[in-house]
Amino acid sequence: MRVLVAGNGGYIGAVMVPFLRAAGHQVDGYDLGLYQGCDLGSFPAEAGSAPRDIREATAGELSGYDAVVCLAALSNDPLGDLNPAVTYSVNLDGTVRLARAAKEAGIERFLFASSCSLYGAAGSQAVAEDAELVPVSPYGETKVRAERDLATLADDSFSPTYLRNATAYGASARLRLDIVVNNLTAVALTTGQVQLQSDGSPWRPLVHIEDISRAFLAMLEAPRELVHNQAFNVGRPQDNVQVRDIAEMVREAVPGSDLSFAEGAGPDLRNYRVDFSKLAATFPELSLRWGVREGIEELLTAYTKYGLTYADFTSSRFVRLRRIRELLAAGLLDDMLRRRTSEDFPVAAPLAQGAF
């Protein structure tokens, strides 16, 4: 298949594009390029593309593709809180614009990277795809509304599928350190401390980015009737864990590290467990292979290989909110995060030691 991946220049895209190519598909990218140069190691050349904004997508640009994978989004709650209007512009308006352009271009398959965060404050009872959606942030709200708007486009000629990914983790050339497993592992390695900002009680479903890619591949190649206008939680039941359990796994993996709690740490509003039985029942041959402990070991290997330091950890290179603020301060983006230049953005620079 000829596949267009929107958001190919991000954390998941850097892994998914080579993964889909290895499965025999022809893959091109469509990305705004916010994280150019924010690399751990070398960003795969085959994942690259000229900067393009999904909010300006046209049918002409998409003509000739068999499927569109939409990973493009402002990717977490703190970034969403920076300017909720921008989050809605990119995550909702941009997603729908891309989908309408795909439909107009005659593309049947549209795979949308949704999120389990749309369950928000569901609590300790595992929730399935038909559960009430109670997002607690603009990011989660945009995922809810995008799914609903995409569903209105579904018909005999256009088949959207919504992959509600658990909280991602794992090594990537476009590493993120603002997600829980990657963050705790990095701070433990660079400081010897596994410090929790909450009391550790909230539940989180977790999934490795290679397994996210594996699920997208399965959906891409599945018979239409299995996935048409369907939502799937993406993850494994055994990877519903409490944050304090993640911290303990990291402490065990990093010799000499200590577990501590930030002063005044309390419970996080985001607290949910997820039922993944629909994915397993619909795709019995799909094997999600990564466990959290293995992912922590993979991260430690990557961090050590590329010499991750505390200065890197505290820089804009691997934290999306800091990178966006850096580009805004440099005048390279306008207030709605539209590019003011077609030139490559500068490489993110580490901050001074102790600036975190």
Side-chain angles (χ1 to χ4, degrees), residues 36-58:
Q36 292 170 337
C38 298
D39 302 337
L40 184 73
S42 299
F43 184 73
E46 68 269 24
S49 64
R52 290 188 286 180
D53 191 327
I54 60 171
R55 293 171 290 182
E56 300 169 2
T58 65

Side-chain angles (χ1 to χ4, degrees), residues 11 64 84 130 148 158 167 345:
Y11 172 62
D130 58 357
R148 290 173 180 168
F158 187 71
T167 301
F345 288 150

Side-chain angles (χ1 to χ4, degrees), residues 20-90:
L20 297 181
R21 284 180 171 269
H25 299 290
Q26 180 183 341
V27 185
D28 296 320
Y30 196 113
D31 193 277
L32 191 55
L34 297 178
Y35 310 117
Q36 292 170 337
C38 298
D39 302 337
L40 184 73
S42 299
F43 184 73
E46 68 269 24
S49 64
R52 290 188 286 180
D53 191 327
I54 60 171
R55 293 171 290 182
E56 300 169 2
T58 65
E61 292 178 303
L62 275 55
S63 179
Y65 289 99
D66 301 303
V68 171
V69 172
C70 184
L71 305 176
L74 297 181
S75 55
N76 61 8
D77 292 337
L79 191 54
D81 293 336
L82 173 67
N83 183 343
V86 177
T87 298
Y88 279 91
S89 174
V90 176

Side-chain angles (χ1 to χ4, degrees), residues 142 192 234 248 304:
T142 61
V234 177
E248 185 59 32
T304 302

Side-chain angles (χ1 to χ4, degrees), residues 129 161-165 219 226-228 230-234 278-279 282-283:
E129 289 81 356
T161 305
Y162 323 110
L163 290 86
R164 296 176 179 173
N165 301 317
M219 305 280 174
L226 281 185
V227 298
H228 175 69
Q230 292 290 310
F232 293 90
N233 295 332
V234 177
K278 180 179 177 180
L279 180 71
T282 308
F283 296 93

